[in-house]
Amino acid sequence: RLAWPSREYAIVLEDDLEVSPAYARWVLGAWRHYEHRDDVAGASLQRQTLKPALPMGRVEIINEHKPFLYRLISTWGFAPHPARWREFTEWWPRARRAGVEPIVPHLVTSQWYRRVKKGSMWSAWFIYFCEQRGLFNLHVNVGGKRALAANWQEPGEHFGAGKYSSQRESEPYGAWSPQLDVWPASPVRYDWDATPLRPSVAAALDALRADVYPPLFAALGVVGNLWGAGGGGAPPPPPPR
């Protein structure tokens, strides 16, 4: 369980992933530049190609190969924001006991959740959690069908033995390069349909987070950004909703 504020970070890696030599440096850079943002739930190493909004599609967000924020999580190499992860792990068991179903009706991921054994798809809960709080996940497309974490798709609970099993879906990115050391001050934010966020939707999500988080600052007697610079300081975890 991650504490926050602290200098502890975690990366969740499945046992059939092959990571780039640059993966840890990129994640640390991501937190150095974006940990202060209150709209970031985590950083993902996977090459993102899924458009989860129905009708589902395969869309690769390029974004000039610069880091971007996407509503969707990627589980193949996930580095959660320490504050958001603590908040999520406190909320999840309470939500399950209360009978919450993590369904976001317009997403294919909720259809997948309905078909799998309950409890085997934690990402459906995290997607629901992010939807309820207007959160995004950080990604980068490094180009050339490469990724900071590549999945060998070994047969198991979510992959059956078949044509593409035991084959990498991407190639691991090589050694660190200047391409990875680009950090836009205001990353482009993409909606569930893999298109840039419309201004009206952006305003609604920002208002949602303002409703969730600032009261906690007041309750703790905290004024302004805990990190001293850059807008949207991330507060400590709010009570479960």
Side-chain angles (χ1 to χ4, degrees):
R1 174 167 164 167
L2 299 176
W4 189 88
S6 77
R7 293 280 70 96
E8 284 187 314
Y9 303 104
I11 304 175
V12 182
L13 297 171
E14 299 179 18
D15 60 5
D16 58 353
L17 295 183
E18 183 176 350
V19 296
S20 159
Y23 84 98
R25 184 172 174 180
W26 185 84
V27 169
L28 291 175
W31 292 137
R32 187 169 64 251
H33 289 86
Y34 302 126
E35 185 179 12
H36 69 279
R37 294 181 63 108
D38 68 359
D39 59 352
V40 177
S44 296
L45 305 179
Q46 178 180 346
R47 183 172 66 98
Q48 183 52 257
T49 60
L50 175 64
K51 177 183 78 71
L54 297 172
M56 184 200 82
R58 293 293 173 181
V59 177
E60 190 167 1
I61 300 174
I62 306 298
N63 196 57
E64 300 179 330
H65 304 298
K66 298 176 182 177
F68 60 92
L69 293 171
Y70 191 23
R71 303 293 307 273
L72 184 64
I73 181 181
S74 292
T75 59
W76 299 348
F78 177 61
H81 187 294
R84 300 289 79 75
W85 188 250
R86 179 178 174 182
E87 180 186 344
F88 172 70
T89 56
E90 290 179 349
W91 165 85
W92 186 12
R94 298 183 188 184
R96 294 182 68 177
R97 288 196 299 270
V100 172
E101 282 290 306
I103 301 301
V104 183
H106 60 281
L107 300 184
V108 70
T109 49
S110 290
Q111 295 182 350
W112 296 343
Y113 173 80
R114 288 189 174 104
R115 296 200 297 261
V116 301
K117 182 173 62 177
K118 295 296 184 287
S120 71
M121 191 176 171
W122 71 268
S123 56
W125 289 90
F126 200 79
I127 287 168
Y128 179 85
F129 174 86
C130 290
E131 168 74 354
Q132 295 293 305
R133 288 160 173 76
L135 299 173
F136 295 78
N137 290 277
L138 187 74
H139 302 257
V140 65
N141 185 319
V142 297
K145 203 177 179 181
R146 295 172 298 171
L148 293 171
N151 194 318
W152 276 90
Q153 305 178 104
E154 296 287 349
E157 187 165 6
H158 296 136
F159 282 111
K163 179 180 179 181
Y164 297 106
S165 64
S166 301
Q167 296 183 35
R168 285 188 305 212
E169 48 72 47
S170 299
E171 291 293 320
Y173 191 85
W176 183 261
S177 73
Q179 175 190 347
L180 294 176
D181 203 19
V182 176
W183 308 101
S186 298
V188 179
R189 299 192 293 180
Y190 289 83
D191 212 341
W192 296 112
D193 62 357
T195 63
L197 212 61
R198 298 189 306 277
S200 60
V201 176
L205 293 176
D206 292 341
L208 173 62
R209 286 193 313 283
D211 180 58
V212 171
Y213 294 118
L216 194 68
F217 276 104
L220 296 174
V222 177
V223 178
N225 187 346
L226 292 176
W227 295 96
R241 287 163 62 96

